[in-house]
Amino acid sequence: MRPYSLAAYLVAPAVFLASSQAQLIPFFNKPSTSRQPDLNRQKRPIMDANAPNIQLPPSSSNDDTPSAPPQGDVILSDVIGNSRQINIFAGFTRDIASVATRLDASILNTTVLAPINSAISALPRKPWEDPRDYAELGASAYEGQGGSDRASRNLRRFTEAHVVPASPWKEGEKVKTLAGTELRWESRGGKAVIMPGDVEVERVMSRVANGEVWMLKGALNYAA
Ligand SMILES: *[C@@H]1O[C@H](CO)[C@@H](O)[C@H](O)[C@H]1NC(C)=O
């Protein structure tokens, strides 16, 4: 299959909501995830399902999170797919092995910066597209095996640029994403804003044993 399938998904996500995440990126060679379903884990209650709208990422004191403390052994890979609002990005995290492994590692803390679906759909180019590929190879840049590899690489960079290998992540603390881009955040008018790019954090969606999922109003710049 061709990248068109993914393009269609990103343009009209609703069409694909019923299909499995594995079909999100059908043209990639690798199996979408190496993780086997863990029935025990899936049956565990997910305590953050009713998490309140938390305006700000946590302060160091965690005062603002009375109802959603990290607890138990629920981890990011359990909860990343829970919200429809970020299910495009959640699909990416499962398809990119480096990220899937990270979110499944209970001993490594991570802050996932998940752009809301509409932000990904609104990107001027798809996350797996790179203008340099088109400049070099023309319209067929993503066809064939080489095209799949290029798209896979680009999507990996996009996804890794939204994964901060630290949690708690304190205000002002400079961190390098898995893609190597440097980020920090500051509180501004009651909202957390990620820089560079001034991308607002809509809310903290999940807070689990190995980190947090923050929903972003926009996508971060991932240009290499
Ligand atoms: C990992 O996250 C947990 C839960 O928030 C926290 O208690 C712990 O200190 C963190 N570990 C590191 C190394 O940051």
Side-chain angles (χ1 to χ4, degrees), residues 6-30:
L6 179 60
Y9 176 89
L10 291 171
V11 169
V15 174
F16 287 81
L17 281 177
S19 66
S20 82
Q21 289 292 349
Q23 289 173 281
L24 180 61
I25 309 167
F27 57 99
F28 288 171
N29 345 329
K30 291 176 191 153

Side-chain angles (χ1 to χ4, degrees), residues 138-200:
S140 62
Y142 299 108
E143 291 182 8
Q145 184 61 52
S148 284
D149 292 346
R150 269 184 291 282
S152 181
R153 219 159 37 234
N154 295 340
L155 186 62
R156 175 177 173 174
R157 189 172 64 223
F158 175 85
T159 307
E160 289 182 342
H162 290 81
V163 178
V164 171
S167 180
W169 178 23
K170 296 199 175 70
E171 180 169 6
E173 184 188 344
K174 289 181 181 171
V175 292
K176 278 203 163 149
T177 66
L178 292 191
T181 46
E182 190 178 85
L183 301 177
R184 66 187 194 286
W185 68 270
E186 70 176 34
S187 174
R188 210 183 283 166
K191 288 282 187 182
V193 176
I194 297 180
M195 293 167 293
D198 287 348
V199 176
E200 195 177 298

Side-chain angles (χ1 to χ4, degrees), residues 125-135 141-142 154 157 224:
R125 56 191 159 95
K126 303 309 174 198
W128 44 266
E129 288 179 315
D130 185 331
R132 288 169 300 191
D133 292 332
Y134 286 123
Y142 299 108
N154 295 340
R157 189 172 64 223

Side-chain angles (χ1 to χ4, degrees), residues 62 70 109 167-168 208-212:
N62 267 347
N109 285 3
S167 180
V208 294
N210 67 343
E212 302 183 346

